[in-house]
Amino acid sequence: MDSAGQDINLNSPNKGLLPDAMTDVPVDTVGAAPTPAAEGLTEAEEEELRAELAKVEEEIVTLRQVLAAKERHCGELRRKLGLSALEGLKQNLTRSWHDVQGSPAYKKTQETLSQAGQKTSAALSTVGSAISRKLGDMR
């Protein structure tokens, strides 16, 4: 874990997860002064909103737990299959390079550079011939 308390290893089953001590802690709103938005609510509306908020916060915690379990399982499967982070990166780079090579922009650039190379080669050949001729004339 790094100093911020998050695992930054992208292949870690715990990546991006906060330690248990830092999971969602509901804010104490009992002693808090009502906000301008809460002042216009009836007591029943406020209670309904608080109940909905508690339910959503509970769902968020559950979803985080499910995601963490799935990431752990994914990591285990990758390990059993012998897939490392390096292998995944290699596959992604190979796939991306193949996609780039198939793109119209790459093909056009390749064609243009090929033509430029041919023209440069012809020009250098002409310059070389001219230099050879001049050197021959000097003798």
Side-chain angles (χ1 to χ4, degrees):
M1 294 272 183
D2 71 353
S3 60
Q6 286 188 312
D7 189 344
I8 59 172
N9 178 349
L10 297 179
N11 290 314
S12 170
N14 299 319
K15 86 175 159 219
L17 298 177
L18 297 174
D20 290 339
M22 295 182 68
T23 54
D24 290 333
V25 178
V27 177
D28 181 20
T29 56
V30 175
T35 62
E39 289 177 4
L41 298 175
T42 65
E43 204 171 300
E45 290 172 329
E46 186 176 341
E47 185 60 36
E48 183 180 334
L49 289 175
R50 288 188 190 280
E52 184 177 350
L53 175 62
K55 181 181 174 187
V56 170
E57 287 175 340
E58 184 179 319
E59 288 173 355
I60 290 170
V61 169
T62 301
L63 289 170
R64 284 186 177 148
Q65 291 170 349
V66 169
L67 178 60
K70 289 197 176 283
E71 286 179 331
R72 277 191 302 275
H73 183 65
C74 180
E76 290 169 9
L77 292 174
R78 285 182 179 278
R79 187 180 39 77
K80 286 178 181 177
L81 290 170
L83 300 176
S84 66
L86 189 57
E87 185 64 31
L89 179 62
K90 180 181 169 187
Q91 288 174 354
N92 287 340
L93 287 173
T94 302
R95 187 177 314 117
S96 296
W97 179 242
H98 179 71
D99 291 346
V100 166
Q101 287 179 317
S103 71
Y106 180 85
K107 289 178 181 177
K108 178 68 175 169
T109 302
Q110 184 181 30
E111 180 183 311
T112 302
L113 290 175
S114 177
Q115 290 173 359
Q118 290 170 358
K119 290 178 182 179
T120 302
S121 179
L124 289 174
S125 179
T126 302
V127 168
S129 296
I131 291 172
S132 292
R133 229 179 296 119
K134 289 286 184 182
L135 288 174
D137 290 345
M138 295 175 118
R139 289 184 185 173

